[in-house]
């Protein structure tokens, strides 16, 4: 069975979790399904929904490749987290995103917390993890990079897989067959489990050293999905883990949605969640009690709305927001929109991940020759484009909700994932695009 929408995939995963008690699947004292849950979801989307052309690949000039490798060497040796041994009251694990705010690049999701910690004169350490985007921002004296941990853990995990008891092996393989067939997966579930178990063990040792050295009271992070080992080590030490919302979450998207779980009982889920207002949560069931969900404002968005409040709209300017799960399909839609609206100017904003491969796609190469097609550069401020755009087109990106704050008309492409925007459509805040003429 092949799924036509992301919402259908999410519903099927939830059904499997309940039927087979997957969230409690334990191998070598690790709740391994909780570790691989988001990876299964990503593979299910990839296996069922055509996301990119087969030619999609990292497409960077030779000089840039050399620069990126040198930056990793720099991170590995000079920003190695184990070279700095000062105690810290808080640890701040940034996202990989960088956004220009008041002329400087910051992680937009942790900027508010960072400002608060600095004003309160709290001693904290920043940890970065994206070698591709982190060079856009200036590193302060309290900045470390996780490249050492990421590379060494990956190396050790590939070199030596953790042994699994025969009884557990049989259970994992049997469940793997069920999950792979039910979700039409490409991946091998057993191989995924054994590798991720080895990686979990390796990461746990490194994070354990950091926590014992820094001895923090709490840690802040963005997107808990790839931080299971860190969260596990924190909970052993009763260090509070606080996750910050970094985009739109929905009951049609599995990442933060745990409808069958008891509150505060997911082992590798943070202790507290800093959430944006209701419009950003799309009916999602976060597995925490209400007292562990704190509503905060979207600091980066609010500050940018104020900055651009007097900018006039250009009636023919359209911003198209892409998704790295739907690259090829969205490019197809842009061709149709360009033909139907020759008097409009279309500004294409790739997902951050897409900047690494978009130039290798033939569809994109054809589009850039069109007179009314432009690409928003990775260093551009997207909010400046929202401020003077008449309309914004997309599928389920968080940027669509941000565009509403700039009073843009919102159009949703009828593609897999559009179901996440159903509430906005039913409330009249967005329109499902059934006619290419805008």
């Amino acid at each position: 069975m092949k799924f036509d929408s992301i919402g259908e995939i999410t519903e099927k995963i939830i059904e499997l979790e309940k039927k087979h008690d997957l969230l409690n699947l334990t191998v070598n004292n690790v709740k391994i399904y909780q570790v691989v849950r988001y990876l299964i979801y990503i593979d299910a989307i990839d296996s069922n929904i055509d996301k990119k052309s087969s030619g999609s690949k990292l497409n960077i000039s030779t000089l840039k490749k050399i620069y990126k490798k040198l930056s990793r060497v720099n991170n590995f040796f000079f920003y190695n987290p184990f070279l700095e041994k000062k105690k810290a009251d808080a640890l701040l694990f940034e996202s990989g995103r960088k956004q220009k705010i008041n002329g400087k690049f910051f992680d937009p999701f942790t900027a508010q917390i960072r400002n608060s910690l600095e004003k309160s004169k709290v001693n904290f350490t920043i940890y970065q993890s994206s070698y591709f985007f982190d060079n856009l921002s200036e590193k302060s004296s309290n900045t470390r990079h996780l490249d050492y941990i990421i590379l060494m853990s990956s190396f050790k995990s590939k070199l030596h897989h953790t042994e699994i008891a025969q009884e557990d092996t049989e259970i994992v393989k049997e469940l793997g067959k069920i999950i792979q067939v039910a979700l039409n997966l490409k991946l091998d579930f057993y191989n995924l489990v054994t590798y991720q178990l080895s990686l979990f063990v390796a990461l746990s040792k490194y994070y354990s050293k950091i926590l014992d050295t820094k001895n923090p009271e709490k840690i802040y992070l963005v997107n808990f999905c790839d931080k299971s080992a860190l969260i596990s080590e924190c909970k052993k030490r009763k260090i509070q883990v606080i996750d910050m919302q970094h985009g739109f979450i929905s009951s049609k998207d599995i990442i933060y949605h745990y409808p069958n779980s008891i509150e505060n009982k997911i082992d590798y889920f943070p202790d507290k969640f800093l959430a944006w207002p209701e419009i950003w949560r799309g009916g999602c069931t976060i597995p925490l009690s209400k007292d562990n969900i704190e509503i905060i404002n979207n600091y980066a968005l609010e500050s940018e709305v104020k900055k651009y409040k007097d900018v006039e709209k250009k009636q023919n300017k359209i911003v198209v927001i892409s998704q790295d799960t739907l690259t090829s399909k969205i490019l197809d839609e842009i061709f149709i929109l360009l033909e139907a609206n020759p008097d409009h100017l279309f500004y294409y904003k790739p997902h951050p991940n897409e900047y690494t491969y978009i130039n290798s796609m033939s569809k994109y190469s054809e589009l850039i020759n069109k007179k009314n097609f432009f690409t928003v550069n990775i260093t551009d401020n997207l909010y400046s484009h929202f401020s003077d755009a008449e309309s914004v087109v997309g599928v389920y990106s968080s940027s669509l909700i941000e565009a509403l704050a700039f009073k843009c008309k919102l159009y949703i492409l009828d593609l897999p994932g559009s179901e996440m925007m159903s509430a906005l459509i039913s409330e009249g805040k967005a329109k499902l695009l059934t006619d290419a003429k805008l």
Side-chain angles (χ1 to χ4, degrees), residues 21-56:
D21 194 24
L22 293 176
L23 290 166
N24 287 315
L25 176 62
T26 304
V27 178
N28 292 12
N29 296 317
V30 175
K31 294 289 180 70
I32 194 62
Y33 177 80
Q34 293 185 31
V35 177
V36 302
R37 186 181 193 247
Y38 82 102
L39 295 172
I40 291 170
Y41 174 61
I42 290 170
D43 190 78
I45 294 173
D46 188 30
S47 301
N48 290 279
I49 298 169
D50 178 32
K51 53 187 279 189
K52 306 182 185 85
S53 72
S54 58
S56 297

Side-chain angles (χ1 to χ4, degrees), residues 140-203:
S140 58
S141 60
N142 62 335
T143 301
R144 300 286 104 187
H145 207 282
L146 296 178
D147 259 350
Y148 179 87
I149 292 176
I150 294 169
L151 294 170
M152 291 301 294
S153 295
S154 178
F155 173 74
K156 288 183 177 182
S157 301
K158 291 174 182 176
L159 192 67
H160 175 70
H161 278 200
T162 302
E163 294 293 328
I164 301 176
Q166 183 61 36
E167 182 181 350
D168 288 338
T169 295
E170 292 174 2
I171 292 172
V172 170
K173 286 184 175 180
E174 185 60 32
L175 284 173
K177 290 177 184 177
I178 294 169
I179 294 170
Q180 284 175 239
V181 171
L183 295 173
N184 189 37
L185 299 181
K186 294 177 182 176
L187 60 75
D188 183 296
F189 183 75
Y190 180 75
N191 288 341
L192 174 69
V193 165
T194 54
Y195 174 72
Q196 288 297 322
L197 181 62
S198 299
L199 186 60
F200 183 95
V201 171
L203 286 168

Side-chain angles (χ1 to χ4, degrees), residues 2-3 7 77 86 88 101 105 130 163 172 174 215 255 339 373 385:
K2 195 158 187 175
F3 298 91
F77 288 106
K86 293 180 181 178
I101 302 174
F105 283 98
S130 171
E163 294 293 328
V172 170
E174 185 60 32
N215 193 27
I255 303 299
E339 185 176 344
F373 178 85
H385 287 281

